[in-house]
Amino acid sequence: MKDISCKLLVIGAGPGGYVCAIRAGQLGVDTVIVEAEKPGGTCLNVGCIPSKALIHAAEVFEKVSHMAGAKSPLGITVEAPKLDLAKTIAWKNGIVGRLNSGVTGLLKKAKVKIVHGRAKFRDGKTVEVETETGTQIIRAETVVIATGSAPVELPFLPFGGPVISSTDALALTKLPEKLVVVGGGYIGLELGMAFAKLGSKVTVVEAEARILPQYDSELTRPVSKRLGELGVTVLTGAKAKGLSSKGDALVIEASGGEEQKLPADKILVTVGRKPVMDGWGLEEIDLDRAGKFLRIDDQCRTSMRGVYAIGDVTGEPMLAHRAMAQGEMVAEIVAGNKRTWDKRCIPAVCFTDPEIVTAGLSPDEARAQGREIKIGQFPFAANGRAMTMLGEEGFVRVVARADNHLVLGIQAVGHGVSELSTAFGLAIEMGARLEDIAGTIHAHPTQGEGFQEAALKALGHALHI
Ligand code: FAD
Ligand code: NAD
């Protein structure tokens, strides 16, 4: 097989890698991308997209089930719905398939060469890829590592049999009657809530004192309340110990120290993700680490000249849009443009029910930086649009500097607030002050009006509360 020489080699076609390759191709950089599995990476194949498809299907099923109970305040009643999970999963797979082809098409349009197989470093500028037709050697002036992340496995609860990862959970075609989720973080709660809505009896086991410990308790309270309404049992301060001898229950140490057995058909372990550091010859190039991740600077350069790293392999926050933004920046740098990481915030959305959005600093984070702040909070209970959608739970909160009113952070919890993340990110990135948000006409009736009202509240003159 003839060796390939190129200007840029990208390893991994997840959101970080494929965006980097597309942008580099658009900029006329001779680019090759290597992918061991399917284009789109974790995000598109077993992460963001399939989980949001399942969450949507579960939300629809739960809404219709609620109406069958004849309790719907909307005056709509229906017969009890039936679930064909295999069909739901086939629908989800169809979306993933369309997006796989879409990414491949975009790479081709940008004239990026795609090589299928697992890349392994020979040295900092050369990799070998085992392809279906033999070993492909690729030499590159610049290499971008975008190998992503994989689920953390608990040594005393290895994946297999009833113990499943998020990837397995997104492919189930039979609904587990009893599902125990280990880890009440992003994945555990997004998927745990979805399975509860589809009809599983769900128990969440979280080691910390509360669920979603990365968010403040004001933001997570409406999610806890909804978990209760959905009949999800949440055990905090509890540690998974292992599978019962019969393999039909999870043994835990509950918060009081006593041992408990939680009967389960499936045990979904979602205790975090780890960078993919094995299988690509890292030992050949010995890059510096930052903890368990690859260390990068503000241009995503690693400790080796001409070798960049982007996305989950470089650490928190492990989010697809961070990986994409890093990928785009690195492509520009490789093409000779001056760029550094100068983003003011990376918004984050937790697709629980209700959803949580954060952008920039929380009140506690701002105070910890020694800043004097003003906070404005507006409840959706006072928002007309939220009322018309039975979504009065939650609020928007704006955090600004007390002296010049520069907005430092915006958070929200509520029905459908994920779409507000765009406005929040834009406001912070553009350096908005409270007066800019308060002075912008927000269309009526929308939940976005809650954002304007929160800014007005921080200024001391909210109109609708
Ligand atoms: P990845 O997407 O992991 O892609 C890495 C790619 O590299 C993979 O395709 C892999 O096959 C390939 N690869 C690895 N090693 C090699 C090698 N040696 N040779 C060739 N190819 C290789 N993030 C959000 O922002 N929003 C969400 O809603 C969200 N939901 C999620 C839900 C779930 C269930 C999960 C698991 C994750 C979710 N995430 C979400 C996180 C998101 O998926 C990741 O942050 C994102 O995919 C990281 O992108 P990446 O390009 O760094 O790596
Ligand atoms: P996570 O870090 O969000 O949550 C893991 C949870 O498990 C934590 O609350 C932790 O306290 C708990 N935990 C750890 N060890 C435990 C143990 N032994 N027993 C019980 N609980 C334990 O991790 P995740 O849910 O696996 O998600 C991984 C990453 O994927 C996230 O950090 C995020 O970056 C990304 N993700 C993002 C989204 C989104 O943006 N909507 C959705 C899913 C995943």
Side-chain angles (χ1 to χ4, degrees):
M1 194 179 271
K2 207 166 160 257
D3 292 0
I4 297 174
S5 288
C6 59
K7 164 105 172 140
L8 174 65
L9 168 65
V10 181
I11 303 175
Y18 84 71
V19 164
C20 182
I22 289 172
R23 185 66 191 128
Q26 287 174 345
L27 291 163
V29 177
D30 168 28
T31 305
V32 175
I33 192 164
V34 187
E35 172 53 56
E37 293 178 27
K38 286 187 183 164
T42 302
C43 165
L44 203 156
N45 294 292
V46 293
C48 322
I49 299 295
S51 62
K52 268 77 242 180
L54 191 71
I55 288 166
H56 177 69
E59 188 184 330
V60 172
F61 186 74
E62 197 262 338
K63 270 201 183 123
V64 179
S65 306
H66 195 66
M67 287 171 186
K71 284 194 193 131
S72 167
L74 305 184
I76 304 168
T77 48
V78 293
E79 295 294 313
K82 286 199 187 87
L83 175 73
D84 182 343
L85 188 60
K87 228 172 161 177
T88 310
I89 295 299
W91 164 73
K92 177 268 290 180
N93 290 343
I95 296 171
V96 169
R98 270 164 54 204
L99 290 170
N100 283 144
S101 318
V103 169
T104 306
L106 291 169
L107 286 165
K108 285 186 178 155
K109 190 175 152 207
K111 300 196 168 49
V112 174
K113 183 169 175 53
I114 308 169
V115 175
H116 299 281
R118 192 164 295 280
K120 212 169 165 212
F121 276 102
R122 279 191 170 177
D123 60 53
K125 295 289 145 78
T126 317
V127 304
E128 56 183 49
V129 186
E130 289 309 326
T131 70
E132 277 179 1
T133 50
T135 305
Q136 174 71 67
I137 306 292
I138 307 172
R139 290 192 183 80
E141 281 175 37
T142 306
V143 178
V144 175
I145 298 167
T147 52
S149 65
V152 168
E153 192 169 27
L154 293 172
F156 48 85
L157 208 57
F159 294 126
V163 183
I164 59 172
S165 68
S166 55
T167 300
D168 307 317
L170 291 166
L172 289 175
T173 50
K174 188 171 168 285
L175 194 70
E177 209 178 297
K178 294 182 228 75
L179 176 71
V180 174
V181 179
V182 182
Y186 272 97
I187 303 180
L189 289 183
E190 287 188 3
L191 295 187
M193 283 186 126
F195 278 103
K197 288 179 178 180
L198 292 173
S200 296
K201 174 73 195 105
V202 177
T203 304
V204 176
V205 177
E206 166 59 48
E208 296 287 328
R210 54 188 192 82
I211 54 157
L212 292 170
Q214 60 271 58
Y215 294 117
D216 63 69
S217 55
E218 231 184 332
L219 280 172
T220 57
R221 199 167 298 125
V223 178
S224 294
K225 186 176 161 207
R226 186 75 177 119
L227 282 163
E229 288 167 5
L230 289 170
V232 176
T233 305
V234 179
L235 303 172
T236 52
K239 289 187 205 87
K241 303 278 281 185
L243 205 54
S244 64
S245 49
K246 281 194 194 152
D248 60 353
L250 176 74
V251 182
I252 64 156
E253 185 186 315
S255 56
E258 70 284 9
E259 198 172 281
Q260 267 184 33
K261 262 190 194 169
L262 305 174
D265 308 309
K266 296 283 178 202
I267 298 163
L268 168 60
V269 178
T270 55
V271 294
R273 294 180 61 82
K274 58 176 186 200
V276 173
M277 300 291 238
D278 301 322
W280 46 268
L282 182 60
E283 53 289 353
E284 302 302 326
I285 53 172
D286 193 25
L287 301 174
D288 285 359
R289 314 275 180 109
K292 59 184 179 172
F293 300 100
L294 289 182
R295 186 168 66 75
I296 51 166
D297 67 6
D298 63 359
Q299 291 187 310
C300 290
R301 290 181 298 197
T302 66
S303 52
M304 182 178 275
R305 209 182 157 86
V307 179
Y308 293 76
I310 58 175
D312 283 9
V313 78
T314 65
E316 302 279 357
M318 288 193 264
L319 296 174
H321 40 283
R322 168 178 174 265
M324 292 192 224
Q326 288 178 322
E328 188 265 347
M329 178 188 77
V330 169
E332 294 274 345
I333 293 169
V334 174
N337 299 327
K338 274 204 165 54
R339 289 282 295 273
T340 50
W341 188 260
D342 57 359
K343 310 292 181 200
R344 292 189 182 198
C345 76
I346 303 171
V349 177
C350 189
F351 290 84
T352 40
D353 176 11
E355 294 171 344
I356 298 176
V357 182
T358 59
L361 301 179
S362 69
D364 287 346
E365 287 164 344
R367 285 188 201 104
Q369 289 187 5
R371 295 183 186 274
E372 280 212 26
I373 53 172
K374 273 182 183 287
I375 301 171
Q377 187 164 316
F378 187 82
F380 284 122
N383 175 270
R385 180 63 175 147
M387 285 181 197
T388 65
M389 297 194 301
L390 301 176
E392 293 179 39
E393 199 67 55
F395 57 85
V396 184
R397 184 173 67 195
V398 179
V399 182
R401 274 174 60 157
D403 55 357
N404 62 8
H405 298 176
L406 180 74
V407 175
L408 300 171
I410 312 162
Q411 301 84 36
V413 53
H415 172 82
V417 293
S418 52
E419 290 302 326
L420 293 183
S421 62
T422 313
F424 296 174
L426 190 65
I428 293 180
E429 208 59 50
M430 304 268 309
R433 300 187 186 234
L434 290 172
E435 289 79 356
D436 296 318
I437 297 162
T440 300
I441 296 179
H442 285 67
H444 177 76
T446 62
Q447 284 179 272
E449 288 172 285
F451 180 28
Q452 185 183 20
E453 286 283 356
L456 282 166
K457 182 97 187 292
L459 290 168
H461 49 91
L463 290 163
H464 290 89
I465 195 165

